[in-house]
Amino acid sequence: MKTFIFPGSFDPFSLGHIDIAKRASRLCDKLVVAVMFNRAKNSLFTDEERVEMAKICLQDVPNIEVISRESLLVDLYRELGASAVVRGLRSESDFRYEAEMNAANTLMFPDYQVIFLPCRADLAFTSSSIIKEVAYYGGDISRMCVPQIEEMVHKKLLEKRAEE
Ligand code: PNS
């Protein structure tokens, strides 16, 4: 049984994330999409909302499970007996960041294995941060995420605005 982990902050889950998750799911028996915490980023959505968004986007893929976890990625890796972590690569700058993370994870857990999947060319310049930025200023995010996520992003930003 080959289990891969696709970790990320998924704040929100984008078309790029869907593409990577679906392609990765074909390379393993089970893909665990792990909604995690990146201490360098402030999440717009709660933990539960990020899990809900991932589930909405991947509901049609039977061998994908969505979980949330606040721990080191290597601890989850060890616990699940995973064979690899999957990360999407958009650009050279992504690679630098990923190489650094990979080095740290391998130092902590030498059996750690990462697989990089190149992002779909037409989605290579979108990101969760860009989705939030564009939506904040009322721009069109319909080609960056599915309609349900689009709705959730607009609703969340309205709530945030009301709080400010
Ligand atoms: O979508 P992101 O924000 O690029 O995902 C980054 C994430 C969540 C995979 C990374 O921050 C992570 O692995 N967090 C868990 C804590 C951890 O293991 N940090 C050490 C990595 S060097």
Side-chain angles (χ1 to χ4, degrees):
M1 173 92 170
K2 204 191 288 173
T3 301
F4 286 1
I5 304 171
F6 178 34
S9 26
F10 306 128
D11 185 50
F13 215 86
S14 67
L15 288 183
H17 294 135
I18 296 177
D19 175 55
I20 296 291
K22 288 190 172 175
R23 283 161 50 209
S25 73
R26 289 183 219 120
L27 304 175
C28 58
D29 299 299
K30 181 176 174 185
L31 181 73
V32 176
V33 173
V35 174
M36 299 193 80
F37 291 85
N38 183 339
R39 286 167 50 79
K41 295 178 183 169
N42 273 329
S43 291
L44 173 66
F45 290 94
T46 64
D47 186 12
E48 291 77 20
E49 288 164 338
R50 289 182 294 137
V51 168
E52 187 192 343
M53 289 187 284
K55 285 185 174 167
I56 288 170
C57 292
L58 301 169
Q59 57 193 344
D60 57 333
V61 192
N63 68 333
I64 291 185
E65 185 189 342
V66 181
I67 63 166
S68 85
R69 182 69 182 259
E70 186 167 6
S71 75
L72 281 173
L73 178 55
V74 287
D75 288 340
L76 178 64
Y77 191 100
R78 213 184 327 240
E79 192 185 298
L80 294 177
S83 302
V85 154
V86 175
R87 295 280 290 168
L89 273 191
R90 286 168 305 189
S91 60
E92 215 176 292
S93 59
D94 268 2
F95 179 74
R96 279 177 181 277
Y97 168 63
E98 294 299 333
E100 226 173 78
M101 256 200 331
N102 177 57
N105 287 332
T106 310
L107 281 176
M108 287 186 278
F109 187 56
D111 282 344
Y112 178 87
Q113 192 62 248
V114 71
I115 294 175
F116 296 132
L117 293 183
C119 288
R120 237 173 63 188
D122 58 318
L123 298 173
F125 293 99
T126 65
S127 65
S128 297
S129 308
I130 285 179
I131 289 176
K132 287 179 280 192
E133 177 80 359
V134 172
Y136 183 84
Y137 290 106
D140 179 11
I141 55 169
S142 65
R143 276 179 286 177
M144 303 180 199
C145 56
V146 298
Q148 278 155 291
I149 304 302
E150 191 183 348
E151 216 173 279
M152 286 174 81
V153 170
H154 288 307
K155 185 165 170 265
K156 191 71 174 182
L157 288 173
L158 275 179
E159 284 167 15
K160 286 272 164 197
R161 282 236 166 103
E163 276 169 23
E164 285 166 11

